[in-house]
Amino acid sequence: MFAPMPALERRLTDLLGAARVITARDALLAWECDGFTVHRALPRAVVLPESTAEVQAIVQLLHGENVPFVPRGAGTCLSGGPTPSVPAVVIELARMKRVLHVSPDDLLAVVQPGVVNLDLTLAVQHLGLHYAPDPSSQSVCTIGGNLAENSGGPHCFKYGMTTDHMLGAVVVLPDGSLARLGQNAGPRAPHALDLPGVFCGSEGTFGIATEIMVRLSRDQESVRTLLAAFATMTAACRTVGDIVAAGLVPAALEILDQATIRAVEASVYRAGYPEDAAAVLLVEIDGPRQVVDEEAAEIRGLFLARSPLRIEEASTPAERKRLWKGRKGAFGAMGRLNTDLYVLDGVVPRTRLVEALDRIHAIAERHGVLLTNVFHAGDGNLHPNISYDGRDAAQTARTVAAGREILQVCLDLGGSITGEHGIGSEKLDYMALMYDPTDLEVMARVRTAFNPSGLCNPGKVLPTRNACAEVAKWPKMVERVLDDHQRRGGDR
Amino acid sequence: MTQRPTSRAELQDLLRSRRHPRVRLLGSGSRPAMVRRVPSDATFVSLAAMDRIERLEPGDLTCSVQPGVLRHELDLELRRHGLELPCAGTGTIGGLFAADDIGPLAPGAPAPRNLLLGLEGVLADGTPFKSGARVVKSVAGFDVHKLFVGSQGRLFAATLLHLKLRPLPRASCAFGVRNLSLADALAKFAGLRQEPAGVHQVTLLRDAAGACMLAGRLGGRASHLAALRTRFSLAESADAGPLQLHAEAGHELITGIVCCSRLNGLLADLPAAAPFLMHGGGRFWTVLPTPQVAPLLSRMPTHDAHAVAVSAADSPGTALDPGAATLTTAIRHALDPRGVLA
Ligand SMILES: Cc1cc2nc3c(=O)[nH]c(=O)nc-3n(C[C@H](O)[C@H](O)[C@H](O)COP(=O)(O)OP(=O)(O)OC[C@H]3O[C@@H](n4cnc5c(N)ncnc54)[C@H](O)[C@@H]3O)c2cc1C
């Protein structure tokens, strides 16, 4: 299928040894896609470096040979970011998983990019510290992937996104040179540009982070999780508004709709959520014990004013874990609904949540797709999920078309086409819905400053001019999905 | 002469038809931030007349403001809705974000880089563009707007800034503790930095006579503030805002960033008579006789610190990492290839 690459393979093997260079077609299947399974492509090869020097040597070699390459962490991305868009060598950083330095006095850690998000917190928890950004995939995804995606998670309402916890990174630039962006003391020296700020969220297109400096947070004295089940989604969303209007800043404000509740309750992630509820709202508050007591009382009062079906409150780690189990396992539970899951990610202003959800339901109904909603309500970050059978081309097409309309709703309401999952290849064609050509041109100029050769993860984030022109007519993604489907004989 | 466009379109026209090869962008022009030599071929463009709060959504905790809006006017409006822009700084909002000359006031406290959600801007050649979004969360495209923070007006002009807001704390109070030994001040400073909640600002000051004080602001629930005041023996005081140092003639004001764990070493390296001020977020200032500035800047890397002379025109500051310096040049060239923004 691909042009033979023995010479390149030999040189990569010289650098890393045969065990860390993968070229066999069967073996490469493991790197064929990320969590966005509609975009599949075999890499030319996969290499598994273990140090900055090795990454640098690989990139220098590939740059010299004009071969595109794609950095990859754990491959949990939901927008096709680490899946090659052109024949490319995948540079997987998962073996670089050492916590290099922890300074409790400075509240910082320096880690290699392959450190799993949750492992960092586990490594510092004996010091009363944690790493705040907590994507739901945190037991698998890597800090390198988080940096590249500017990942969020349930607790960003209070604590912010990855970018807010990033101090800097050592980066192998696409020509193989090294740059240190930011430093332990902070992301920006007074006379410097905020290079970590612009690198964060660049989706593997600006270079490869091989050492990352992150800010750690002190554990709070007390954490409490409250659950309220409501007979209507409107009541749940309005309660979120009430909490914000009262000047409270909970750590997390999450909502699951009825279809999600039922999927969860029928799965191993069963958390005891009431199945007759139209929505479950989870609120987590943290802080000094007395403050948590006061805030919990206030939040219970706000719940009661909206006539909930049920209220629960958990203070011990075990009780809290049970309440969160359903939320954290929601995506897994949806696996029961059909063979494939299209996890959408859009943002609306929090005050427009009710309207957005009404319109999203209408879209799902019109396209006849099965929709579940689980979302970061505090941030207005929706995750409408469509369960579909990817072997059925018509269903797939309806799914993608509904997805596009849903994202258009987010934009119509003044939001964004992605709150945390990124553009990758999935949303390339939607960028022109959100941005004008000059906006994209300015972004392209900045990318060129980092990646002049274009070899680092090509075909991601920014659409080509043609795609911009096409988008108004018909989402290219549908065409791509259907082409892909045909190529693989309608089966996988 | 200073030109004062009143709209984005006027600014675009002005940049496209400018007769001077170089432009110095200004907010209100009041900022004593890093002094850069004004090239003789430059014209001044002040964005102070673009001074509207275009959108304020209390329920979404966001607003969109033009760059000329004055900080204290925005504060007044936000306070009416029980909200605040939780970072330090004065002057125009555009100037505050472009200078970012204070940084976070405590570890984890927001600074301009954490509050800028997106912006509309104009490149030096008059090209309009936008970056980011006006909702609290968006990862669509590259965060070009992050480059605005601290760019000193040298990359592009921001004509509308989308900002993240926070509810005003239920209670807040300023504190001050005077006449501390350096060891006591450092210990208390470190302790307050480690507090997971309630410390919105903590600032350490050592004056020229060697006397130390701590100042700052607590915010949150009254019950917690009372507990913090007792635990750290903090006396309530009038809120003086972020403290500042000033340089006398023959002296230079230096600002930089340093890790708390390296503070002792840095202080030991400063002349005993050099006043020193540091916020809990890592930004520090000191004042030195001019001849001592360059040697100190060259020693900064030994303290893992980075600094620049604020008051010296075009001071190069501590050398940046060579890779970062190359990228900085490439970004400047990409956004302003003719070097118009001086
Ligand atoms: C069940 C599930 C739940 C999820 N929940 C969330 C959530 O709550 N919030 C959220 O934000 N996301 C979530 N995600 C998405 C995903 O987990 C995140 O985007 C995560 O940060 C990806 O990390 P990764 O290590 O898997 O990176 P990968 O998927 O391997 O790569 C992601 C991108 O980063 C680039 N990259 C990887 N490593 C580097 C590096 N060292 N240097 C430069 N570029 C690099 C890749 O090229 C790619 O573009 C979820 C995904 C799943 C499957």
Side-chain angles (χ1 to χ4, degrees):
Chain A
M1 188 170 176
F2 299 121
M5 46 165 290
L8 185 61
E9 184 181 344
R10 204 170 336 105
R11 294 181 64 190
L12 287 168
T13 306
D14 286 347
L15 289 176
L16 301 178
R20 292 196 282 134
V21 179
I22 297 157
T23 52
R25 194 172 190 284
D26 285 357
L28 289 176
L29 282 173
W31 285 270
E32 178 191 40
C33 67
D34 60 6
F36 177 59
T37 54
V38 287
H39 175 197
R40 287 167 191 263
L42 281 190
R44 281 182 73 170
V46 174
V47 291
L48 308 170
E50 291 178 354
S51 66
T52 297
E54 285 186 355
V55 174
Q56 211 179 353
I58 294 163
V59 171
Q60 279 166 355
L61 168 62
L62 298 175
H63 180 257
E65 296 291 327
N66 206 27
V67 174
F69 51 90
V70 179
R72 181 175 170 116
T76 65
C77 182
L78 291 167
S79 56
T83 309
S85 289
V86 299
V89 172
V90 165
I91 303 177
E92 185 180 288
L93 290 310
R95 288 189 176 209
M96 295 178 65
K97 54 180 180 204
R98 276 188 306 127
V99 175
L100 299 171
H101 171 68
V102 175
S103 171
D105 288 347
D106 298 320
L107 298 166
L108 72 85
V110 183
V111 302
Q112 289 188 317
V115 169
V116 167
N117 175 299
L118 186 60
D119 288 350
L120 175 54
T121 286
L122 294 176
V124 297
Q125 67 180 7
H126 66 286
L127 301 167
L129 296 168
H130 66 279
Y131 177 60
D134 62 339
S136 303
S137 51
Q138 69 175 156
S139 58
V140 192
C141 66
T142 65
I143 301 290
N146 296 171
L147 167 64
E149 294 292 318
N150 188 13
S151 293
H155 291 82
C156 347
F157 179 63
K158 180 170 180 181
Y159 292 106
M161 309 268 291
T162 298
T163 188
D164 300 310
H165 300 268
M166 218 27 81
L167 297 167
V170 172
V171 174
V172 175
L173 293 172
D175 63 358
S177 62
L178 271 189
R180 177 175 284 270
L181 318 181
Q183 48 275 309
N184 289 352
R188 196 181 74 73
H191 53 308
L193 293 178
D194 187 355
L195 297 177
V198 74
F199 185 85
C200 188
S202 59
E203 302 195 26
T205 66
F206 283 12
I208 303 181
T210 58
E211 236 179 68
I212 304 169
M213 303 144 228
V214 299
R215 206 165 56 72
L216 299 173
S217 304
R218 274 267 156 236
D219 294 347
Q220 298 285 356
E221 183 185 17
S222 173
V223 184
R224 194 162 313 169
T225 308
L226 295 98
L227 174 150
F230 293 96
T232 64
M233 176 58 84
T234 303
C237 292
R238 298 248 189 273
T239 305
V240 170
D242 297 342
I243 290 171
V244 173
L248 294 163
V249 186
L253 279 161
E254 300 281 304
I255 290 182
L256 295 82
D257 72 357
Q258 189 171 53
T260 309
I261 296 168
R262 290 186 174 166
V264 163
E265 289 303 308
S267 76
V268 293
Y269 305 105
R270 196 180 146 69
Y273 298 155
E275 290 185 51
D276 56 338
V280 155
L281 167 62
L282 285 171
V283 182
E284 187 149 286
I285 45 178
D286 60 9
R289 203 171 312 280
Q290 188 174 348
V291 169
V292 168
D293 286 344
E294 290 173 22
E295 291 191 346
E298 219 174 295
I299 289 169
R300 278 195 304 273
L302 295 170
F303 283 172
L304 289 172
R306 296 274 177 197
S307 309
L309 300 174
R310 191 207 280 187
I311 295 181
E312 283 188 54
E313 202 166 318
S315 315
T316 67
E319 286 170 348
R320 288 184 34 241
K321 199 168 170 193
R322 177 180 65 78
L323 291 190
W324 274 105
K325 188 175 168 194
R327 167 62 186 89
K328 298 235 167 177
F331 292 107
M334 286 167 202
R336 301 169 53 84
L337 302 179
N338 213 330
T339 54
D340 294 77
L341 183 68
Y342 184 19
V343 180
L344 279 151
D345 168 41
V347 184
V348 296
R350 185 189 308 111
T351 46
R352 312 295 292 273
L353 274 174
V354 174
E355 186 182 350
L357 288 165
D358 284 348
R359 289 173 64 176
I360 288 168
H361 275 289
I363 291 167
E365 222 159 84
R366 189 153 26 82
H367 287 278
V369 294
L370 176 57
L371 180 82
T372 48
N373 278 293
V374 46
F375 54 99
H376 310 303
D379 297 315
N381 187 181
L382 295 166
H383 290 315
N385 304 298
I386 303 177
S387 299
Y388 70 104
D389 183 345
R391 294 163 303 189
D392 178 337
Q395 238 189 80
T396 308
R398 288 206 310 275
T399 298
V400 177
R404 178 185 188 278
E405 286 182 34
I406 287 170
L407 294 177
Q408 185 63 57
V409 166
C410 294
L411 289 178
D412 292 347
L413 296 176
S416 168
I417 54 175
T418 171
E420 54 185 23
H421 294 171
I423 299 299
S425 54
E426 177 209 3
K427 288 180 177 162
L428 270 182
D429 307 324
Y430 303 151
M431 281 291 275
L433 299 176
M434 183 161 170
Y435 294 112
D436 297 330
T438 52
D439 309 334
L440 299 174
E441 164 63 23
V442 170
M443 290 183 201
R445 289 199 206 178
V446 173
R447 180 176 60 186
T448 303
F450 280 86
N451 182 12
S453 65
L455 289 174
C456 192
N457 208 359
K460 305 291 164 57
V461 186
L462 298 181
T464 60
R465 277 181 204 285
N466 284 349
C468 291
E470 280 293 307
V471 73
K473 290 188 231 149
W474 182 248
K476 298 279 268 190
M477 200 63 219
V478 177
E479 286 171 35
R480 252 197 319 259
V481 170
L482 296 179
D483 283 355
D484 190 40
H485 203 271
Q486 240 169 11
R487 242 198 345 266
R488 283 184 281 113
D491 201 25
R492 58 170 136 88
Chain B
M1 193 187 87
T2 302
Q3 288 165 296
R4 296 176 183 277
T6 57
S7 68
R8 183 188 212 199
E10 266 183 41
L11 174 64
Q12 282 177 254
D13 285 349
L14 196 153
L15 288 169
R16 283 186 181 134
S17 60
R18 87 199 133 73
R19 260 170 279 134
H20 294 83
R22 263 166 255 290
V23 169
R24 166 70 60 91
L25 291 172
L26 303 173
S28 58
S30 68
R31 187 161 295 276
M34 300 212 214
V35 180
R36 275 180 285 119
R37 207 184 306 279
V38 181
S40 55
D41 55 359
T43 182
F44 288 97
V45 174
S46 161
L47 303 179
M50 296 177 67
D51 60 357
R52 274 187 306 125
I53 299 174
E54 287 213 347
R55 192 185 61 87
L56 169 58
E57 301 284 355
D60 295 324
L61 301 177
T62 60
C63 69
S64 301
V65 303
Q66 292 187 334
V69 169
L70 291 169
R71 169 72 200 256
H72 68 87
E73 283 174 6
L74 180 62
D75 284 349
L76 278 179
E77 186 58 26
L78 295 179
R79 219 163 282 146
R80 265 197 278 278
H81 296 274
L83 301 173
E84 66 172 353
L85 180 68
C87 67
T90 55
T92 63
I93 293 296
L96 189 161
F97 277 77
D100 183 28
D101 51 11
I102 297 180
L105 298 174
R113 77 187 293 274
N114 313 105
L115 301 171
L116 185 64
L117 300 168
L119 56 72
E120 291 182 7
V122 177
L123 297 183
D125 64 4
T127 305
F129 73 98
K130 61 180 176 297
S131 164
R134 58 186 170 94
V135 277
V136 292
K137 214 172 164 188
S138 174
V139 293
F142 304 127
D143 283 354
V144 177
H145 55 283
K146 286 278 158 83
L147 291 170
F148 181 70
V149 177
S151 65
Q152 311 277 345
R154 288 189 60 200
L155 291 180
F156 50 80
T159 54
L160 189 67
L161 296 95
H162 305 304
L163 307 177
K164 186 173 174 175
L165 307 172
R166 194 171 65 180
L168 278 168
R170 292 285 170 92
S172 77
C173 68
F175 66 84
V177 192
R178 292 173 185 281
N179 300 323
L180 292 165
S181 68
L182 180 61
D184 286 349
L186 286 173
K188 222 182 254 281
F189 182 66
L192 283 160
R193 286 185 77 256
Q194 295 282 335
E195 268 305 305
V199 179
H200 287 193
Q201 179 194 340
V202 53
T203 304
L204 169 85
L205 177 66
R206 185 187 72 173
D207 67 19
C212 293
M213 73 170 281
L214 279 184
R217 203 163 62 83
L218 306 178
R221 297 243 161 190
S223 57
H224 181 52
L225 304 199
L228 280 175
R229 279 204 306 267
T230 309
R231 184 142 44 93
F232 288 96
S233 312
L234 302 175
E236 230 178 292
S237 77
D239 191 349
L243 303 166
Q244 281 179 352
L245 297 182
H246 299 281
E248 309 280 306
H251 288 65
E252 306 267 355
L253 179 63
I254 315 271
T255 184
I257 51 173
V258 67
C259 286
C260 197
S261 62
R262 309 299 294 269
L263 194 48
N264 261 323
L266 176 63
L267 283 168
D269 196 2
L270 294 178
F276 180 84
L277 187 146
M278 180 171 171
H279 293 316
R283 194 78 179 256
F284 73 83
W285 290 260
T286 188
V287 176
L288 291 182
T290 304
Q292 296 181 19
V293 170
L296 179 76
L297 290 181
S298 70
R299 291 197 303 275
M300 283 291 163
T302 61
H303 306 295
D304 206 8
H306 301 261
V308 66
V310 177
S311 44
D314 301 319
S315 155
T318 314
L320 294 178
D321 165 78
T326 306
L327 281 173
T328 301
T329 307
I331 290 170
R332 285 198 197 293
H333 184 75
L335 296 177
D336 179 15
R338 290 164 186 251
V340 172
L341 298 176

